[in-house]
Amino acid sequence: MDTDGGRRVFHRLGQSASSDSSNNKQQKVCYHWRQGKCTRFPCPFLHSELPVANNGESSKRAHQGFGADSSRGGGLRRSGNSYFNNTWGRVQEHGGGSNRVIKKMEKLCNHWLQGNCKFGDNCKYLHQWSTGDCFSLLTPLEGHQQVVTGIALPMGLDKLYTGSQDETVRVWDCQSGQLVGVVNVGGAVGCMLSEGPWLFVGLTNLVKAWNIQTSIDLSLNGPVGQVYSLVVGNEMLFAGTQDGTILAWKFNAATNCFEPAASLKGHTLAVVTLLVGASRLYSGSMDHSIKVWSLETLQCLQTLTGHTDVVMSVLCWDQFLLSASLDKTVKVWAATENGSLEATYTHTEEHGLLTLCGMHDSEARPVLFCSCNDNTIRVYDLPSFSERAKIFSKKEVRCIQIGPGGLFFTGDGSGQVRVWKWSAEPTITS
């Protein structure tokens, strides 16, 4: 699993005019050694990484973290801070912190994957599921037989719920990591959402609603085809469906059921991602577009057409909207003076993107997780998009869920769920 595409990245140190041949060897890392293929002895280039200069990076912390407060009006605000508009994709050098760009040879050892690598710590290839040393893998959760499409961690409970296309929802004990229940839902799970006491499961032609506190089991009818995305906003549940419609329900406390509230039409193909931010609903579709809806009137306010393939994921960070697509790009959208959104920065990957997840590290700095269809997750600092770490999986990661206490969860195409924890960065003392 070559995850870097053979990208040649060299770091050179300053060289004086009097440098001799032995010093020249220190100026360049052997490309073939990085790929584990060097046969030269002696080799004129380094067979080790150069020390990393402590340039320092800092990212301005988002006041609201990831996901805007739904009580605020007006959608995404126009940025009054030129720092953000001018620094997307640039590494800031304000001092403090450390350069966290990964420069390791990023290829997993196939023998290690099979449990029979004879080189051990001396192997030239990776013997770990991540790079960057900023988080650690606590445990894998095995059981699902197909791709994991939903992970939910209801507030106040010690249970983790995972859904899969193998037509089951599995329940795990958060203390022991043991499987404590399996629910056969009778169809492929397209997505899951936890909101208050409710757990929602998107199925084909149906949304299941389970009240975990009272054990009430409801079926919300109306969707046509697979339900790919669920989100709650303005006291309504929204579902993105295979036929391109967004359905909305509202809970009636008197009858203890969810009643149809609206049907939003506009997309021509399946709606695969939904997001609520401020007073807006954002929807991404297989028709390559993003639509912006008013949560008050449920009318479409704008259609964003910057992507050239399926829009797989949308995310709010500070006053920006981020979108990921199979066209291999992450676009950053900002509000203009008239309130509409326009693309202000485009980050390009080597592979199509599947999902985005924003969170803060152990020191409350904002980071972006970008799952790509080469079985990796790239972890970037914001707003610089400098690579912080990389996570490898057996197959593509379709869902990432934030947990409490620095925990987060990933689910991949092999059916494996993994539990990760952010590592506290070492304190630098004089």
Side-chain angles (χ1 to χ4, degrees):
M1 184 192 307
D2 189 342
T3 60
D4 195 39
R7 186 188 306 166
R8 305 190 182 195
V9 181
F10 298 109
H11 276 242
R12 305 174 188 270
L13 300 176
Q15 179 178 348
S16 65
S18 60
S19 296
D20 56 23
S21 60
S22 63
N23 288 333
N24 287 338
K25 181 174 181 176
Q26 300 178 10
Q27 306 311 306
K28 186 175 181 182
V29 178
C30 174
Y31 169 71
H32 299 288
W33 170 80
R34 284 181 176 234
Q35 301 299 312
K37 304 174 184 177
C38 184
T39 58
R40 295 175 291 192
F41 183 82
C43 180
F45 303 108
L46 281 176
H47 279 203
S48 63
E49 296 294 344
L50 293 171
V52 179
N54 186 13
N55 295 327
E57 301 174 11
S58 66
S59 298
K60 182 170 180 178
R61 290 176 55 184
H63 297 296
Q64 299 169 6
F66 285 66
D69 182 356
S70 60
S71 64
R72 292 175 48 223
L76 296 181
R77 297 168 294 138
R78 180 171 181 263
S79 172
N81 189 338
S82 60
Y83 169 81
F84 285 108
N85 289 332
N86 294 332
T87 58
W88 282 104
R90 300 183 186 179
V91 178
Q92 300 303 308
E93 299 182 2
H94 298 313
S98 60
N99 192 317
R100 295 181 294 275
V101 180
I102 304 303
K103 299 179 180 63
K104 295 182 180 179
M105 180 174 58
E106 296 172 345
K107 183 177 180 181
L108 288 177
C109 173
N110 289 327
H111 298 290
W112 173 74
L113 292 175
Q114 298 167 11
N116 58 9
C117 180
K118 62 182 180 181
F119 294 103
D121 294 339
N122 295 321
C123 182
K124 300 175 182 179
Y125 302 101
L126 287 175
H127 281 202
Q128 59 189 28
W129 289 105
S130 65
T131 65
D133 298 326
C134 48
F135 38 71
S136 57
L137 174 62
L138 297 186
T139 185
L141 304 178
E142 307 280 0
H144 285 298
Q145 302 303 306
Q146 295 185 41
V147 57
V148 177
T149 51
I151 301 175
L153 191 67
M155 293 289 291
L157 292 183
D158 61 349
K159 300 294 188 294
L160 177 74
Y161 293 77
T162 60
S164 167
Q165 288 187 1
D166 65 9
E167 303 187 1
T168 69
V169 171
R170 292 178 177 263
V171 188
W172 312 84
D173 183 86
C174 292
Q175 300 300 321
S176 65
Q178 297 299 307
L179 180 69
V180 295
V182 179
V183 181
N184 292 297
V185 294
V189 175
C191 56
M192 291 176 64
L193 174 68
S194 174
E195 183 72 21
W198 293 97
L199 180 67
F200 302 101
V201 182
L203 302 171
T204 302
N205 303 324
L206 186 70
V207 174
K208 296 290 289 185
W210 299 331
N211 190 308
I212 300 172
Q213 296 177 355
T214 64
S215 299
I216 293 176
D217 184 346
L218 303 176
S219 295
L220 311 186
N221 296 304
V224 176
Q226 182 70 57
V227 175
Y228 289 112
S229 184
L230 293 164
V231 72
V232 169
N234 198 23
E235 300 184 349
M236 286 181 286
L237 172 70
F238 295 92
T241 65
Q242 188 172 350
D243 72 344
T245 303
I246 302 171
L247 298 180
W249 295 267
K250 204 160 192 173
F251 184 70
N252 187 326
T255 59
N256 207 26
C257 67
F258 289 86
E259 299 176 346
S263 177
L264 284 60
K265 297 183 181 294
H267 286 292
T268 58
L269 293 174
V271 175
V272 296
T273 180
L274 292 173
L275 168 74
V276 167
S279 59
R280 302 288 185 261
L281 170 70
Y282 303 91
S283 58
S285 170
M286 289 185 180
D287 65 12
H288 308 176
S289 75
I290 302 167
K291 288 188 178 292
V292 185
W293 311 80
S294 167
L295 276 181
E296 299 299 328
T297 65
L298 300 182
Q299 298 298 308
C300 182
L301 303 176
Q302 186 181 1
T303 299
L304 310 178
T305 57
H307 287 292
T308 59
D309 208 330
V310 179
V311 179
M312 297 293 291
S313 186
V314 286
L315 175 73
C316 276
W317 179 61
D318 198 74
Q319 66 266 39
F320 300 97
L321 176 73
L322 280 66
S323 59
S325 169
L326 291 180
D327 67 8
K328 306 179 183 180
T329 67
V330 176
K331 289 188 177 292
V332 180
W333 306 83
T336 61
E337 291 184 356
N338 63 10
S340 61
L341 295 177
E342 65 177 19
T344 187
Y345 177 74
T346 298
H347 168 80
T348 302
E349 290 284 353
E350 294 179 1
H351 304 273
L353 289 112
L354 302 175
T355 190
L356 299 177
C357 183
M359 63 184 82
H360 293 88
D361 66 10
S362 57
E363 296 187 358
R365 292 177 297 223
V367 291
L368 179 68
F369 284 57
C370 301
S371 176
C372 300
N373 60 13
D374 65 341
N375 306 342
T376 67
I377 301 174
R378 267 77 167 183
V379 183
Y380 295 105
D381 286 321
L382 290 181
S384 65
F385 269 99
S386 59
E387 188 172 302
R388 175 85 166 270
K390 187 178 290 186
I391 293 175
F392 303 92
S393 291
K394 293 180 178 179
K395 291 190 176 180
E396 78 286 352
V397 172
R398 291 283 178 172
C399 55
I400 308 170
Q401 177 64 44
I402 305 172
L407 295 176
F408 62 94
F409 309 87
T410 59
D412 69 20
S414 72
Q416 188 180 72
V417 177
R418 289 179 179 169
V419 185
W420 303 82
K421 184 176 177 62
W422 279 97
S423 304
E425 296 195 9
T427 301
I428 300 175
T429 58
S430 58

